Amino acid sequence: MKLDIATTALLSQMAAGEAPPMHELSPEEARLIGGQMAKGYPGGPAMVSVKDVEIPARDGAKIRARVLKPSESPRGLLVFYHGGGWVLANIDEYDTLGRQLAERTGCAVLMVDYRKAPEHPFPAAPNDAWDALLWANDNMAALAGRKVPLLVAGDSAGGNLAAVVCQKAKAEGGPAITLQILVYPVTDGAMETPGYANPDNQLLLNTPLMTWFWDHYAPNKDDRLKPEASPLRADDLSGLPPAVIVTAQYDILREEGEAYAARLRDSGVPVTYKQFDRQMHNFFAMPGLLPAQAKAVEYVGEQVDRHLAKFSQADAVVVGAGFAGMYQLHRLRQMGLKTRVIEAGDGVGGTWYWNRYPGARCDIESMAYSFGFSPELEQDWTWSEKYATQPEILRYAEHVAERFDLRKDITFETRVTRAIYDEEEMRWTVYTDKGEAISAQYVIMATGCLSVPKQPDIPGTDEFKGPAYVTGKWPHEGVDFTGQRVAVIGTGSSAIQSIPHIAEQAKELTVYQRTPAYSLPAGNRPLTNAEISEMKQHYRDYREAQRHHPGGIPNPPRAMESAHNVSAEERRKRYEAAWETGILTGLSSAFNDTMTDQQANDWVSDFIREKIHERVKDPEVAEALTPRSFPFGTKRPCLDTDYFETFNRDNVELVDVRKTPIERITAKGIETKDGEKEFDSIVFATGFDAMTGAIMNVDIRGVGGMALRDKWADGPHTYLGIGIAGFPNLFTITGPSSPSVLSNMLVSIEQHVDWVSDCIAWMRKGDLAAIEPTEEAEDEWAEHNEATANLTLFPQANSWYIGANVPGKPRTFMAYVGGVDTYRTLCDQIAASDYAGFRTYEADREAKAMSA
Ligand code: NA7
């Protein structure tokens, strides 16, 4: 006996009734039988209120529906679509189940009597389902008493409709559904799974009846395979709400539920799946008759409990717990905002958490690359070297987290996947990959400028059988290259820092270079006590100087003189002096026109080229390592410790891929036009999807469901790199078109966080619910940005500043070159003039009541 006793008994009673098979009946006859059956169900729990309503459909018709309220203050609003093959059943027959669900979940349940086929064939049912969902969302305050999480559920054909509306809500950018509960859903109209041929499954629902349903519902066979009828056939299931999927063991639809669960999981959607053993199709909709039905309602209730416990309210969600996210949390908490930080790593530190490659080090002096907001912090932390190593910076980040008790509001090992703005509520719903949905007034993207490693763009990357490492995602336990043949691809900062270390360990190191870099010797060394105490005495003045310096790096001061004003000898003298400082900005600060005048830049570029030739013994290798295709400083220059000297070692070889292009990566190594070279390990130091990558990784939908990915399809468009028109209350810390990577990041981070925090404080004082830039302000900023960049030599280089490193990425200059000082003045003046260029929205009464 495959089914449980109650089901076996029920089937035997039904057989004794000798009713003809359903699929031989007309829809009217079949409906009568279904109605008779439902009369045998118990009445279901009492509700605080039961109200029948009529929902306007798009074609002017009315959709019958019933609101079941289990309490005065339901925890959620669950829109339920009943089963019956889109032909049979109605909300009266499902009344008991609806009440059970309302009672168990604590949610108000909206039972939708969508129109049935064949009178109303496809797409009437999904259209009604969608119209009802929109109506539910619009009327949430009336239905549930306040803004609550929105859930959808359905069984069988209703499970199909629930899945379909979730896909539509994703495509439309809302409403924000927080959970989908699909009970043995129909997900594919092809009817080809093995279950359809299995005699074990030919129970209440059998293959002829399923054919009968589809024939009535979607007589046109092409319609059946559209995602609106077969949600399994949608191209992309990523970003859908977390799902609870229930199936029955002996059900021709079991495999459709399994397949949908598998595809959702593969697309990164959290899925809780449960098969009820010894059960048949429809068991969930037969209350009172089958004990498993009560168990399934209990199971669904547990899932909703779990889900709603995670559904949270916050004033602000900050994405990322690097330096930006940490300081933003600190500021908002000080202001009394309930703030949640969501962080993908299992610790704080952002860039300094992920980039653990050998030799990783900051190239801004440690005392300058640290927080200035707390004089106490600055006094109790002591840096050990001129340039801090990654482990030391990470310890500093951990110290900051400890000192300000930040960890308690950070959720680690969790990624934000979507953020959807609700115009009426003027709030965001932020989804995480752990199935949490957080409602928040503000979303602050503190996701870093260089946090998403560039996708490999070399054919065959997956073929390599040995270990492959990406500098930006280095294993925490470290890598020992001793005795290995190692390849490093790339010669940017990460490669330049790691190559000398790898060369010391490896048996052979081959460096694949596409563009040589300008790199200056760091002259790193331990800090002396005298230097430390001198800085600690004058930190306050130093911070002030940082804030008003174009790059946030006041030492050495920027010369006011043109390189043209002095003799060749004097120029040389100043370049040599700058070179000796070992400071990244030393050479560019030696004259005031290095970045704007071609000749001035040529002089300094030639000086560095000469130095490279002095550092590398083999003139051919030296020439290959010498940058000639772009002006100094227009791609991020590097600081190194023995980088060029490393090429004097016998175990190091340079491959210039412009002359000898990499054709592909093979199972054993790297193939160029000169043949295949075998390696034990490959290191990808190939950079990042800079500035926009991490923001665009989150599916952000603003006003009218507009996707940020669409808005930025031709490149990022922002106001000040802080706000985006159409995306109210969304702020980006060091976002595209702010000075960001052209400055000391810590200085820019603090300036942005302070500005955003002050803006939020101003809004709260003025009782404003939302703020967003105007399109005009965005255009004006873009125009100024571009014009400023065009006054410099920056646009000449194919750099990641303009997205040139990522194939297919639109090219726009993504950092403000006008300087942190000018930028700060602009931001301050905008704030002082009541946030000129922004539009604001007043809080409505309902929103106020909620936060109270
Ligand atoms: P970068 O500076 O973007 O460097 C990446 C390097 O990888 C650069 O030399 C690239 O050459 C090279 N690259 C990228 N793709 C390829 C392919 N397909 N083939 C060969 N070479 C390739 O990233 P980093 O991580 O080094 O530094 C990022 C920043 O972090 C740094 O500027 C500091 O601010 C800190 P390209 O120049 O594109 O020709």
Side-chain angles (χ1 to χ4, degrees), residues 724-745:
I724 306 162
F727 297 81
N729 291 357
L730 177 84
F731 298 105
T732 50
I733 302 301
T734 66
S737 79
S738 74
S740 70
V741 292
L742 296 180
S743 68
N744 177 342
M745 287 304 295

Side-chain angles (χ1 to χ4, degrees), residues 316 318 327-328 331-332 335 337 442-445 721-723 729-734 748-764 771 823 827 831 835 838:
V318 176
Y327 181 42
Q328 186 68 75
R331 278 292 321 255
L332 293 180
M335 289 162 53
L337 271 80
Y442 301 101
V443 173
I444 297 150
M445 301 298 286
I722 295 184
N729 291 357
L730 177 84
F731 298 105
T732 50
I733 302 301
T734 66
S748 283
I749 282 171
E750 284 193 342
Q751 187 256 335
H752 261 198
V753 168
D754 286 336
W755 193 94
V756 168
S757 307
D758 292 347
C759 173
I760 290 176
W762 174 80
M763 288 172 67
R764 286 164 83 85
I771 189 165
Y823 178 78
C827 289
Y835 295 86
F838 285 88

Side-chain angles (χ1 to χ4, degrees), residues 351-352 355 357 361 363 450 454-458 471-472 489-497 512-517 584 630 635-638 657-658 662 684-688 741 798-801 804-807:
T351 287
W352 302 104
N355 285 269
Y357 59 83
R361 204 181 270 282
D363 51 18
L450 293 157
K454 193 180 80 148
Q455 288 297 317
D457 51 3
I458 304 173
T471 47
I489 304 179
T491 49
S493 288
S494 305
I496 281 178
Q497 292 187 335
Y512 290 83
Q513 171 189 269
R514 187 163 68 187
T515 313
L584 195 66
F630 60 99
K635 281 177 95 158
R636 179 69 153 67
C638 309
V657 307
R658 295 218 189 260
I662 297 177
F684 288 90
T686 42
F688 297 88
V741 292
N798 281 326
S799 65
W800 52 255
Y801 298 145
N805 63 328
V806 176

Side-chain angles (χ1 to χ4, degrees), residues 186-198:
V186 185
T187 66
D188 189 5
M191 292 199 292
E192 280 165 352
T193 53
Y196 281 92
N198 184 349

Side-chain angles (χ1 to χ4, degrees), residues 666-689:
T666 65
K668 289 185 180 165
I670 296 178
E671 193 173 307
T672 63
K673 76 173 168 45
D674 287 351
E676 186 184 19
K677 198 162 170 158
E678 292 187 10
F679 294 106
D680 301 307
S681 300
I682 299 181
V683 174
F684 288 90
T686 42
F688 297 88
D689 183 354

